[in-house]
Amino acid sequence: GENVEQHPSTLSVQEGDSAVIKCTYSDSASNYFPWYKQELGKGPQLIIDIRSNVGEKKDQRIAVTLNKTAKHFSLHITETQPEDSAVYFCAARGQGGKLIFGQGTELSVKP
Amino acid sequence: GAGVSQSPSNKVTEKGKDVELRCDPISGHTALYWYRQSLGQGLEFLIYFQGNSAPDKSGLPSDRFSAERTGGSVSTLTIQRTQQEDSAVYLCASSLAPTLTSTDTQYFGPGTRLTVL
């Protein structure tokens, strides 16, 4: 069935360092890959997304790369700040539009 | 305009009782999704609406779970005879999604935290 694997489950970095979160997906028909940030007690908020017709997308300190052949996509956060601390979820669009989510990465940015 | 809203924000109920969770999508969004997030887990798809119809109910865990959407807007998720394993955060999302092949962004509400004692 449709599946998304996300690694690592926890990530601790020093303020100013970069953070990388990686995901793999199983459904080769997936064509849309969003990343969500979830803070405690809140719903997930979209931070960046990529569609299958591009290999990379950047928005200020955040970038996402996609390798369709390998069915991998990654989130890169540069110059991390304490307010980046949250749980990050990757997702792949499955059949019918539903999102198949990874298990989440708890990012901690230490001042 | 306003984002996706959900009510109640928290619900505590006793095992065996029925509960109703409400979702108000962003105005004009035709697609509506329900997900469940158990403690420390990812989000699990439950059901998808396109307008008032539900083309995909594949994620509903049992026949105790049902959902409806009226007027192409508000949706209600009902859990009958609640069990302790139903305790989770129930999240609703909506998107413009004019077609089933759309890749429109899904916007999430804040969720309803359900606790079954």
Side-chain angles (χ1 to χ4, degrees):
Chain A
E2 300 164 308
N3 187 49
V4 175
E5 296 287 334
Q6 181 172 348
H7 299 280
S9 56
T10 60
L11 179 59
S12 182
V13 299
Q14 288 295 131
E15 182 176 1
D17 287 350
S18 295
V20 180
I21 303 171
K22 299 182 178 182
C23 291
T24 60
Y25 60 98
S26 62
D27 185 359
S28 57
S30 292
N31 61 358
Y32 173 64
F33 307 91
W35 285 87
Y36 286 85
K37 175 183 180 182
Q38 187 175 30
E39 297 175 329
L40 197 62
K42 297 183 179 180
Q45 299 295 310
L46 180 76
I47 55 171
I48 194 168
D49 57 15
I50 190 167
R51 288 165 172 77
S52 59
N53 58 343
V54 298
E56 184 173 357
K57 183 177 179 180
K58 189 172 182 180
D59 182 4
Q60 298 183 352
R61 297 186 297 109
I62 295 173
V64 58
T65 58
L66 172 64
N67 182 330
K68 282 218 74 181
T69 302
K71 292 191 278 188
H72 290 171
F73 57 114
S74 299
L75 177 73
H76 304 253
I77 306 174
T78 59
E79 301 172 28
T80 53
Q81 301 167 3
E83 52 265 37
D84 294 330
S85 297
V87 179
Y88 291 80
F89 291 97
C90 64
R93 181 183 178 274
Q95 293 184 18
K98 66 185 178 187
L99 294 177
I100 310 300
F101 283 85
Q103 292 302 301
T105 296
E106 184 173 2
L107 174 64
S108 175
V109 180
K110 300 184 185 305
Chain B
V4 178
S5 61
Q6 292 186 246
S7 60
S9 55
N10 282 283
K11 176 71 176 178
V12 180
T13 190
E14 294 179 347
K15 178 181 172 180
K17 300 281 190 183
D18 297 352
V19 295
E20 285 190 353
L21 312 180
R22 176 186 169 109
C23 172
D24 283 87
I26 294 172
S27 177
H29 281 195
T30 59
L32 186 148
Y33 303 81
W34 283 98
Y35 295 88
R36 179 170 71 174
Q37 185 174 29
S38 301
L39 186 62
Q41 299 295 310
L43 286 79
E44 172 192 8
F45 168 79
L46 298 178
I47 187 170
Y48 155 65
F49 286 92
Q50 181 72 19
N52 290 337
S53 64
D56 190 347
K57 306 178 183 179
S58 63
L60 295 178
S62 76
D63 59 7
R64 295 187 296 105
F65 287 72
S66 63
E68 66 175 13
R69 189 179 185 195
T70 55
S73 180
V74 172
S75 176
T76 303
L77 177 69
T78 301
I79 309 173
Q80 295 178 312
R81 306 181 301 282
T82 52
Q83 303 295 312
Q84 289 183 332
E85 59 262 30
D86 299 334
S87 296
V89 176
Y90 290 82
L91 290 157
C92 174
S94 72
S95 71
L96 281 171
T99 70
L100 289 179
T101 59
S102 173
T103 57
D104 281 347
T105 300
Q106 292 185 24
Y107 296 91
F108 281 82
T112 293
R113 181 175 297 278
L114 175 65
T115 303
V116 182
L117 302 176

